Each structure stands twice: as structure tokens, then as C-alpha cells.
């Protein structure tokens, strides 16, 4: 049964195929050449089936590169230091993926024009991970977690697009070193 309970059930293969084609076409053709029509043709899925699932190219691309829900498995069983380490490492890994690099400039412009998409992206991305941070230290730490997330993701975004020549393991290690003091709990600071 589909999400509304009426009609034919959705074929999960369509989602898998369309998302894979979207990632491949981003790398092959880039954001500008990517269209819902081209994705439909290459994936062998009707354009109507695609637009029922994703209302715009930006929605589809975000789902293709980030998934519908964030992958929190790297955070499982980790402490605050592990959380900070994974935010820095995970952000760098995400923005270094070829399909993400190809999509980011166009997505930034699209998100600017789709406040609902921007809000959903930020809440979906930051909410679950900052809750894990708060679980370690207790409520009231969301601003610290959000700041670490913004700094790590911002650095990764900037180096992947602007400071490409400086996007090295050494720079990532330095960014992590600068953010690691946040990993100390309030008890250790006193």
C-alpha cells in the first residue's frame, strides 16, 4: 500500500534507480545539464512517477546525495569527543564526494529560492545529530552542538568549493584539533 493508502503501492525500485541515475548524471553532466526529463529518460521511469515523489530537481538531488533521513550510525555509542570527530570527518567526506561537489553550487542557489526546502534540510540534518550531542551532556547544549556542526560543515563546504588546493588531511586534522576543546564536558572544564 502506498503512503496515502489508496492506489497501487509504490515500487521501491523506482526510487533506487532514479536516485542512482541522478547521482551518476550529476557527476557526468553537472547540475546545469541535469533535468527531470533527462533523469526519467536515462532511468526508464516516467517523468510523472518522478514528480510524484520529488516536486523539483532540488528535492530530488538532495534526496540523492543525502538520503531521506540522515545516517546516524557513525554516532552510535560514541561520546562527545567522538561526536565532534565524526561531524568534522563526516562533513569533509560528504563534501568531497563527486556528486555532492557537482550538485552544491546549483543546490545553494535553489535552496536560496526554496525556504521550505532549506528549512527542512537544516532541521533534518542538524536536529537528529544535535540531539545526540545533547544526550551526552544534557539539555541546553544545542547551541554548542549547532555551532560545531556549522563550523565543521562550513569548513568542509568552503574547502570543497573554494580552497580546493588546501583540502588536505593535514588541514582537516587542524580543523579537528581546533574544535576538539568543545568535546570536553563541563565537568572537565571546572
Amino acid at each position: 500500500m502506498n503512503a496515502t493508502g489508496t492506489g497501487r503501492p509504490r515500487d521501491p525500485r523506482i526510487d533506487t534507480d532514479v536516485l542512482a541515475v541522478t547521482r551518476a548524471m550529476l557527476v557526468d553532466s553537472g547540475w546545469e545539464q541535469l533535468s527531470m526529463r533527462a533523469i526519467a529518460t536515462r532511468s526508464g521511469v516516467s517523468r510523472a512517477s518522478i514528480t510524484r515523489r520529488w516536486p523539483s530537481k532540488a528535492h530530488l538531488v538532495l534526496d540523492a546525495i543525502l538520503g531521506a533521513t540522515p545516517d546516524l550510525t557513525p554516532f552510535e555509542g560514541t561520546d562527545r569527543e567522538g561526536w565532534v570527530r565524526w561531524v568534522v570527518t563526516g562533513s569533509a567526506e560528504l563534501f568531497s564526494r563527486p556528486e555532492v561537489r557537482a550538485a552544491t553550487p546549483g543546490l545553494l542557489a535553489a535552496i536560496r529560492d526554496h525556504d521550505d526546502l532549506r528549512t527542512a534540510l537544516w532541521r533534518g540534518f542538524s536536529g537528529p545529530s544535535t540531539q545526540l550531542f545533547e544526550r551526552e551532556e544534557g539539555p541546553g547544549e544545542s547551541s554548542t552542538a549547532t555551532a560545531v556542526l556549522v563550523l565543521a560543515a562550513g569548513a568542509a563546504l568552503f574547502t570543497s568549493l573554494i580552497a580546493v588546493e588546501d583540502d588536505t588531511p593535514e588541514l582537516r586534522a587542524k580543523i579537528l584539533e581546533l574544535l576538539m576543546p568543545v568535546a570536553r564536558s563541563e565537568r572537565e572544564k571546572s
Side-chain angles (χ1 to χ4, degrees), residues 56-137:
S56 72
K57 177 170 84 169
H59 287 85
L60 172 55
V61 169
L62 278 172
D63 195 7
I65 64 176
L66 296 178
T69 57
D71 177 13
L72 300 177
T73 52
F75 294 106
E76 289 176 6
T78 190
D79 59 5
R80 195 167 174 169
E81 182 176 318
W83 185 92
V84 171
R85 187 174 305 284
W86 179 247
V87 166
V88 171
T89 304
S91 295
E93 287 176 5
L94 172 67
F95 285 107
S96 68
R97 290 178 17 211
E99 67 273 17
V100 174
R101 277 192 157 153
T104 300
L107 270 176
L108 290 174
I111 288 171
R112 176 196 64 218
D113 298 334
H114 293 277
D115 200 44
D116 63 319
L117 185 60
R118 181 198 54 77
T119 300
L121 171 63
W122 179 241
R123 287 191 179 148
F125 184 65
S126 69
S129 64
T130 56
Q131 288 171 4
L132 292 171
F133 186 94
E134 288 177 345
R135 203 174 301 152
E136 175 71 19
E137 290 299 318

Side-chain angles (χ1 to χ4, degrees), residues 23-79:
R23 287 188 293 272
M25 289 184 74
L26 279 166
V27 174
D28 296 345
S29 309
W31 174 270
E32 293 297 323
Q33 299 304 312
L34 188 70
S35 70
M36 300 288 255
R37 183 178 319 254
I39 293 167
T41 300
R42 188 161 163 187
S43 66
V45 173
S46 74
R47 189 167 176 214
S49 291
I50 293 173
T51 57
R52 271 194 301 274
R53 288 165 170 81
W54 299 281
S56 72
K57 177 170 84 169
H59 287 85
L60 172 55
V61 169
L62 278 172
D63 195 7
I65 64 176
L66 296 178
T69 57
D71 177 13
L72 300 177
T73 52
F75 294 106
E76 289 176 6
T78 190
D79 59 5

